[in-house]
Amino acid sequence: MSWMRKNALWWAFGGAVAMAFAIWGTWQGVHYTSSTEFCLSCHSMRTVGEEYQTSIHFRNASGVRAECKDCHIPPGIVPTLLRKTEALNDLYHTFISPSIDTPEKFTAKRAELAQREWARMSANNSAACKSCHSYEAMDHGKQSTNAAAQMTAAAAKDSNCIDCHKGIAHHKPDMSSGFRDRFKQLQRQGETPSEATTLFSLGEKALTATAGSPAGKALLFPATEVRVLKKEGSNVQLEVTGWRESKGRGRVITQFMGKRVFSAVLDDSLMANVKILQTQVDPDSHQQWQQVSVTAWTSVQGLITSIAPVWEYSEQMLQSTCSACHSTPPTIRYTANGWIAGLKAMSTYYRLNPVEERTLLKYLQTHASDVPAPQ
């Protein structure tokens, strides 16, 4: 009996030692695979490694370096082990099915990888960032005026760091490919003439007084509802209904009374086609407005049967454009007129062509705080 008890004790001791070695070995493995040297040892990480080594997180005045794990592995034993488990997927895409093993593949997948990492950081409220950067430890008096204002507001809401601080250690991806591919799909859809009587413009379209006449300065703006009156070959006669100010030349047609949500701009050739439907006074500006309809001709291409795909494309453009720097603002942040200045203030930070910008602006305006939700 005594012999059996001693054997049991030795087995328990041996098991405890083996478990201790297993835990120690596992933790050493976690520690080693979390080192910057290990992270950058894969040739697929060469591009991001070079970007990191030119960033302020690698070399700065204070001499405090943020290693790869400091940003990409959240603090704590359990979050670390969970992140390591997720990283098994990286091994698959490195050794079995390489997906970023060339610079060209990495460039093509950069936006997807960045969005995945931003989402991971957002999910834990930027815990990795806040393990070094604490709102409570910030001295706003030593920050610039603009930084102090931004950080004070962020601290009050305990905001996600990654909402505003993208592109610090790595280059920001070009987020435009997704929504531009979607626009190409809509263009192909708009190449097929529809028999519907109510259509919506996909982009800007020239308007003329007669079918096939040379284009002047009259334009139909993106995402404008039109009624089809007549078709002649590749041309279609449309009716646009909207509002214009009673004072002035009356060439700008807006979607709503008192709101600068542009539907069309007319030239001299179309002024005779304008029909006044009613006159009202805008209760906010106390200015007199006329509801009008105007008939004009345009090409049959670029008109689709539903506004929903245009808004889906616009929402994708909003997400892609804004998320490169910060969280996407709600459309109700501004009024319809307020969005004109709101979007213009951000124009230096995004790269949209004029038609894309007008489409995005119209989406924001028609979903603004002072515009009733569509029924």
Side-chain angles (χ1 to χ4, degrees):
M1 195 72 176
S2 175
W3 177 81
M4 292 177 63
R5 187 178 294 115
K6 287 182 179 180
N7 274 349
L9 289 173
W10 276 110
W11 276 107
F13 176 75
V17 171
M19 184 176 294
F21 268 106
I23 294 173
W24 177 81
T26 299
W27 191 247
Q28 287 299 312
V30 168
H31 179 75
Y32 172 72
T33 57
S34 299
S35 66
T36 297
E37 292 74 19
F38 178 85
C39 293
L40 301 183
S41 63
C42 294
H43 73 277
S44 59
M45 292 291 101
R46 178 176 178 179
T47 299
V48 293
E50 291 174 350
E51 293 172 357
Y52 161 66
Q53 290 171 358
T54 62
S55 74
I56 195 170
H57 272 168
F58 184 81
R59 190 181 302 277
N60 51 69
S62 66
V64 178
R65 177 175 296 171
E67 305 291 350
C68 296
K69 65 180 178 65
D70 294 325
C71 295
H72 295 286
I73 300 179
I77 294 176
V78 173
T80 295
L81 293 178
L82 289 175
R83 182 68 193 97
K84 285 296 178 181
T85 302
E86 292 174 352
L88 293 175
N89 180 64
D90 299 339
L91 296 179
Y92 173 83
H93 285 292
T94 297
F95 298 108
I96 300 176
S97 178
S99 60
I100 54 171
D101 55 326
T102 66
E104 293 76 20
K105 287 184 181 180
F106 178 79
T107 299
K109 205 170 182 180
R110 179 190 279 271
E112 176 189 337
L113 296 172
Q115 287 180 309
R116 187 187 305 167
E117 197 62 25
W118 296 340
R120 184 182 293 120
M121 290 180 171
S122 293
N124 59 33
N125 199 26
S126 299
C129 305
K130 292 176 181 178
S131 65
C132 290
H133 302 282
S134 166
Y135 284 127
E136 292 77 11
M138 290 182 184
D139 185 348
H140 299 309
K142 294 182 178 179
Q143 297 172 336
S144 68
T145 303
N146 183 54
Q150 297 290 337
M151 296 309 298
T152 300
K157 298 183 294 184
D158 192 26
S159 295
N160 258 315
C161 306
I162 198 61
D163 284 350
C164 298
H165 296 281
K166 296 182 174 81
I168 292 179
H170 307 293
H171 298 168
K172 288 186 292 186
D174 178 6
M175 307 295 289
S176 66
S177 58
F179 70 81
R180 286 183 174 140
D181 288 343
R182 177 58 178 152
F183 183 73
K184 291 176 182 177
Q185 293 174 6
L186 293 178
Q187 280 183 312
R188 289 192 290 269
Q189 179 180 331
E191 289 174 357
T192 305
S194 172
E195 297 302 317
T197 56
T198 299
L199 297 174
F200 299 86
S201 54
L202 182 55
E204 288 183 351
K205 293 182 64 62
L207 297 176
T208 58
T210 59
S213 60
K217 295 182 179 180
L219 282 177
L220 183 69
F221 279 77
T224 297
E225 181 178 340
V226 298
R227 188 164 70 93
V228 178
L229 302 179
K230 189 188 301 183
K231 289 183 179 179
E232 287 186 9
S234 61
N235 296 310
V236 61
Q237 187 184 39
L238 308 174
E239 180 185 56
V240 182
T241 301
W243 294 84
R244 69 178 186 181
E245 291 184 79
S246 297
K247 293 182 179 180
R249 304 176 69 182
R251 294 189 175 185
V252 177
I253 309 300
T254 65
Q255 185 170 340
F256 307 103
M257 177 177 62
K259 297 176 174 60
R260 316 302 290 181
V261 185
F262 301 125
S263 295
V265 59
L266 311 180
D267 60 13
D268 289 336
S269 68
L270 289 173
M271 296 305 292
N273 295 0
V274 176
K275 179 181 178 181
I276 300 175
L277 305 178
Q278 63 171 313
T279 300
Q280 288 189 20
V281 175
D282 175 32
D284 295 324
S285 64
H286 306 291
Q287 293 179 325
Q288 192 178 73
W289 286 71
Q290 297 172 338
Q291 187 182 34
V292 300
S293 66
V294 58
T295 57
W297 287 85
T298 190
S299 62
V300 72
Q301 287 79 22
L303 297 169
I304 60 176
T305 58
S306 172
I307 192 62
V310 181
W311 290 157
E312 291 169 3
Y313 152 69
S314 302
E315 172 64 21
Q316 190 175 5
M317 179 167 26
L318 175 66
Q319 295 285 346
S320 299
T321 301
C322 293
S323 66
C325 296
H326 54 72
S327 58
T328 305
T331 59
I332 58 172
R333 173 171 292 183
Y334 299 114
T335 63
N337 291 339
W339 266 115
I340 298 174
L343 189 61
K344 185 177 181 180
M346 300 303 296
S347 61
T348 57
Y349 301 101
Y350 60 73
R351 295 184 180 90
L352 298 177
N353 64 46
V355 176
E356 290 172 341
E357 188 171 18
R358 288 176 190 134
T359 305
L360 178 58
L361 176 60
K362 195 161 190 179
Y363 168 72
L364 294 168
Q365 290 181 300
T366 54
H367 294 77
S369 60
D370 60 340
V371 175
Q375 299 299 318

